[in-house]
């Protein structure tokens, strides 16, 4: 039996690392108490787990930029889009990519094609997130350890490598292997067919970023969609466990203990409560908390909480909901996201397909959250949602995708591609004056990288756009 996204998968993988994997360590390390090498099984366990945390880290970095969250403190750097040091996020991304590079090389030596394929897909994802955050980044010289000051590679060329890695990963998963993945895979428990769908879903995601460039092909995206997820059961996610809480749950718990965080932006509240759009969204009570008076009141980005107290007067993330239960999954890629990708890619050529995908994306997210059938049907029937194929616009698609990708870093890619064109999304109060009344377009290179590799770090501003954001 193959485990999949269950507590037993986590426990099973832990047992593997503590028992059967010991044999592998004994085989490759003269002193098992001071290991010099690691088996691909253990490396995959860590890489799948840490990749999900990198998605969280990315979502935490950008959630104020896309106005899911807002700081309770006025002029917080995250709200006003000041340069922020993301050295920890940078390190975490490269730490995972270093392990993945080892898996790929070891898999070639051991003829472990399925491990290689999964590692290539995860490498494409982690590299893609790094490029989307920072633009040009080191890659070609990053893992040979011949230099501590690797050169920076062109972001557009890296995107070509990302797509190639996804194609190669899918092909390797479709081929033979000497070793089969199992509970050491925290995402799919060794389900190769699920990995292939995941690879195609990510391919559709990254190809969509190229919209507006000569590299864009709607038909290629739709082909990847057809080979991607087919239901919520295919979602790529890692389920957490009692020894390590879902990190968004920890944010909510910390906030209850007055370590303030996870406050909800007014923009998000008003987009779902009937203020910005006519329909009241039944997902709102399943995603965020109310005030002590049972109301949904957000915080204005950049302005802080004003004279509101530290608790009870503003909506926040609260423990126990879909995104914030201690055992909640971290979503890496979802069927709902894929349907909105399909809707956007098909919009110009096949309105009927686009509209069906748009509705399916809404429904998939509502099903994921546990919205009742009655509430779901009422929302989908509302005239502002049920617009019909001919009237469907990119604004409709992007608004619903923004809701469905709550707290996910992919939303920042959408926001930049969409030029932050969400209805009533205003610049935050007290905006960083260096942005000249414009939204942020990239992250600053981390201080740790500037100090170690400053001669190679490109000189950029927060308004400089990465290659696909032109």
């Amino acid at each position: 039996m193959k485990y999949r996204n269950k507590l037993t998968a986590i426990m099973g993988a832990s047992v593997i690392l503590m028992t059967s994997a010991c044999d592998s360590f004994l085989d490759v390390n003269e002193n098992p108490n001071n290991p010099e090498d690691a088996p691909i099984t253990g490396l995959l366990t860590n890489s799948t787990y840490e990749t999900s945390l990198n998605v969280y880290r990315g979502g935490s970095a950008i959630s104020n930029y896309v106005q899911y969250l807002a700081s309770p403190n006025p002029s917080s750097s995250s709200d006003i889009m000041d340069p922020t040091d993301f050295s920890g996020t940078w390190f975490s991304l490269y730490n995972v990519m270093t392990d993945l590079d080892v898996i790929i090389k070891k898999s070639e030596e051991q003829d472990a094609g399925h491990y290689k394929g999964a590692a290539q897909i995860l490498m494409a994802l982690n590299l893609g997130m790094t490029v989307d955050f920072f633009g040009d980044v080191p890659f070609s010289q990053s893992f040979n350890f011949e230099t501590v000051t690797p050169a920076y590679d062109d972001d557009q060329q890296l995107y070509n490598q990302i797509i190639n890695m996804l194609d190669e990963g899918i092909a390797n998963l479709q081929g033979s292997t000497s070793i089969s993945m199992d509970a050491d895979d925290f995402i799919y428990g060794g389900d190769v067919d699920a990995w292939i769908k995941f690879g195609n879903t990510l391919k559709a995601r990254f190809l969509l970023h190229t919209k507006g460039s000569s590299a864009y092909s709607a038909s290629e995206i739709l082909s990847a969609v057809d080979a991607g997820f087919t239901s919520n059961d295919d979602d790529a996610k890692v389920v957490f466990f009692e020894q390590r809480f879902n990190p968004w749950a920890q944010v909510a718990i910390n906030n209850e203990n007055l370590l303030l965080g996870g406050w909800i932006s007014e923009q998000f509240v008003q987009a779902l409560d009937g203020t910005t759009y006519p329909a009241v969204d039944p997902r709102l009570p399943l995603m965020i908390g109310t005030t002590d008076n049972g109301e949904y009141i957000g915080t204005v980005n950049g302005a802080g909480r004003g004279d509101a107290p530290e608790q009870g007067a503003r909506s926040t993330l609260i423990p126990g909901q879909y995104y914030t239960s201690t055992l909640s999954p971290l979503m890496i890629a979802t069927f709902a996201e894929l349907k909105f990708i399909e809707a956007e890619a098909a919009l110009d050529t096949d309105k009927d397909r686009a509209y069906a995908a748009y509705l399916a994306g809404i429904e998939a997210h509502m099903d994921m959250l546990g919205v009742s059938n009655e509430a779901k049907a009422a929302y989908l029937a509302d005239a502002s949602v049920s617009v019909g194929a001919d009237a469907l616009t990119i604004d409709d698609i992007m608004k619903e995708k923004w809701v469905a990708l709550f707290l996910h870093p992919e939303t920042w890619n959408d926001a930049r591609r969409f030029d932050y064109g969400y209805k009533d999304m205003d610049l935050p109060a007290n905006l960083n004056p260096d942005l000249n009344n414009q939204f942020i377009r990239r992250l600053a290179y981390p201080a740790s990288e500037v100090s170690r590799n400053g001669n190679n770090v490109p000189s950029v501003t927060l308004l400089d756009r990465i290659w696909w954001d032109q």
Side-chain angles (χ1 to χ4, degrees):
M1 175 180 179
K2 289 188 176 179
Y3 302 104
R4 182 164 175 198
N5 293 323
K6 303 293 184 186
L7 176 60
T8 48
I10 306 294
M11 298 296 288
S14 299
V15 171
I16 287 173
L17 290 176
M18 291 186 292
T19 57
S20 63
C22 287
D23 295 335
S24 299
F25 277 108
L26 290 170
D27 289 340
V28 298
N29 298 293
E30 293 183 4
N31 179 0
N33 295 317
N34 185 27
E36 302 169 356
D37 204 354
I40 57 176
T41 52
L43 289 170
L44 184 67
T45 297
N46 186 66
S47 296
T48 50
Y49 176 71
E50 286 293 332
T51 292
S52 75
L53 289 177
N54 281 344
V55 173
Y56 158 74
R57 292 171 183 124
S60 179
I62 61 86
S63 283
N64 294 61
Y65 300 161
V66 297
Q67 298 183 9
Y68 288 141
L69 304 181
S71 174
N73 302 313
S75 299
S76 170
S77 61
S78 57
D79 261 352
I80 68 172
M81 304 179 181
D82 270 346
T84 303
D85 184 10
F86 289 107
S87 292
T89 300
W90 176 278
F91 173 81
S92 296
L93 288 162
Y94 274 95
N95 194 41
V96 171
M97 286 192 282
T98 300
D99 283 354
L100 292 169
D101 182 70
V102 174
I103 294 175
I104 291 169
K105 290 172 180 174
K106 284 179 172 288
S107 296
E108 292 169 351
E109 296 169 359
Q110 300 173 31
D111 193 28
H114 291 178
Y115 277 90
K116 182 178 180 181
Q120 287 172 312
I121 287 171
L122 292 177
M123 181 72 87
L125 173 58
N126 283 277
L127 175 59
M129 286 192 290
T130 308
V131 173
D132 290 337
F133 291 149
F134 298 101
D136 294 354
V137 296
F139 186 72
S140 60
Q141 297 181 4
S142 289
F143 311 114
N144 57 21
F145 303 106
E146 294 177 358
T147 177
V148 294
T149 56
Y152 275 59
D153 298 319
D154 177 75
D155 53 0
Q156 185 169 2
Q157 293 303 313
L158 287 174
Y159 247 69
N160 293 334
Q161 290 184 248
I162 290 165
I163 301 304
N164 288 338
M165 276 191 285
L166 289 169
D167 286 337
E168 291 173 9
I170 291 165
N172 283 317
L173 286 161
Q174 292 170 331
S176 60
T177 187
S178 63
I179 310 172
S180 296
M181 298 183 293
D182 207 323
D184 49 336
D185 161 21
F186 275 11
I187 299 175
Y188 287 120
D191 187 334
V192 173
D193 290 338
W195 271 99
I196 292 170
K197 291 180 181 180
F198 180 31
N200 280 292
T201 297
L202 290 178
K203 183 176 179 179
R205 175 194 287 178
F206 286 113
L207 286 173
L208 186 66
H209 297 170
T210 70
K211 188 178 180 182
S213 76
S214 60
Y216 179 73
S217 170
S219 62
E220 189 175 2
I221 293 172
L222 293 173
S223 294
V225 167
D226 290 339
F229 297 157
T230 57
S231 74
N232 286 351
D233 291 338
D234 295 328
D235 289 350
K237 59 189 177 184
V238 169
V239 176
F240 281 73
F241 46 104
E242 292 179 0
Q243 289 78 14
R244 178 67 187 266
F245 291 171
N246 176 298
W248 288 116
Q250 193 64 61
V251 171
I253 292 168
N254 289 347
N255 188 71
E256 285 193 330
N257 293 325
L258 296 183
L259 300 173
L260 302 185
W263 286 44
I264 308 301
S265 171
E266 181 183 75
Q267 164 72 10
F268 187 77
V269 171
Q270 293 186 354
L272 276 70
D273 72 357
T275 301
T276 305
Y277 299 92
V280 176
D281 198 315
R283 289 171 285 188
L284 187 62
L286 302 175
M287 299 171 75
I288 67 173
T290 65
T291 67
D292 288 348
N293 293 327
E295 301 175 301
Y296 294 99
I297 300 177
T299 299
V300 177
N301 288 89
R305 69 181 189 270
D307 59 0
E310 293 178 322
Q311 280 185 340
R314 297 288 185 270
S315 292
T316 66
L317 296 175
I318 60 172
Q321 296 186 313
Y322 184 84
Y323 293 99
T324 56
S325 292
T326 56
L327 306 185
S328 287
L330 274 178
M331 311 307 294
I332 301 171
T334 65
F335 176 61
E337 177 195 348
L338 187 63
K339 299 312 288 183
F340 290 117
I341 292 172
E342 179 182 4
E344 183 175 350
L347 184 62
D348 293 335
T349 58
D350 190 341
K351 287 275 193 178
D352 289 336
R353 178 174 182 175
Y355 185 60
Y358 155 80
L359 294 176
I362 299 171
E363 188 167 6
H365 186 239
M366 288 189 166
D367 289 344
M368 188 176 84
L369 296 184
V371 175
S372 71
N373 289 333
E374 295 77 11
K376 180 173 64 176
Y379 183 80
L380 291 170
D382 188 279
S384 65
V385 179
S386 182
V387 296
D390 291 338
L392 181 68
T393 67
I394 189 64
D395 296 51
D396 299 319
I397 296 168
M398 296 300 274
K399 179 262 179 176
E400 289 294 344
K401 189 179 180 186
W402 177 70
V403 176
L405 267 65
F406 185 57
L407 303 178
H408 197 286
E410 179 60 20
T411 302
W412 193 37
N413 299 325
D414 286 339
R416 289 178 287 172
R417 291 191 307 107
F418 193 42
D419 203 24
Y420 292 88
Y422 303 99
K423 186 178 180 183
D424 293 342
M425 182 173 280
D426 298 321
L427 288 165
N430 303 308
L431 177 70
N432 171 10
D434 291 339
L435 292 178
N436 298 320
N437 290 317
Q438 299 176 62
F439 284 97
I440 190 171
R441 292 290 174 170
R442 68 189 304 139
L443 299 185
Y445 287 108
S448 59
E449 181 67 5
V450 174
S451 65
R452 288 194 302 255
N453 194 18
N455 289 337
N456 288 324
V457 176
S459 177
V460 297
T461 74
L462 300 182
L463 290 176
D464 290 330
R465 302 180 181 220
I466 64 174
W467 80 274
W468 50 254
D469 182 26
Q470 302 302 320

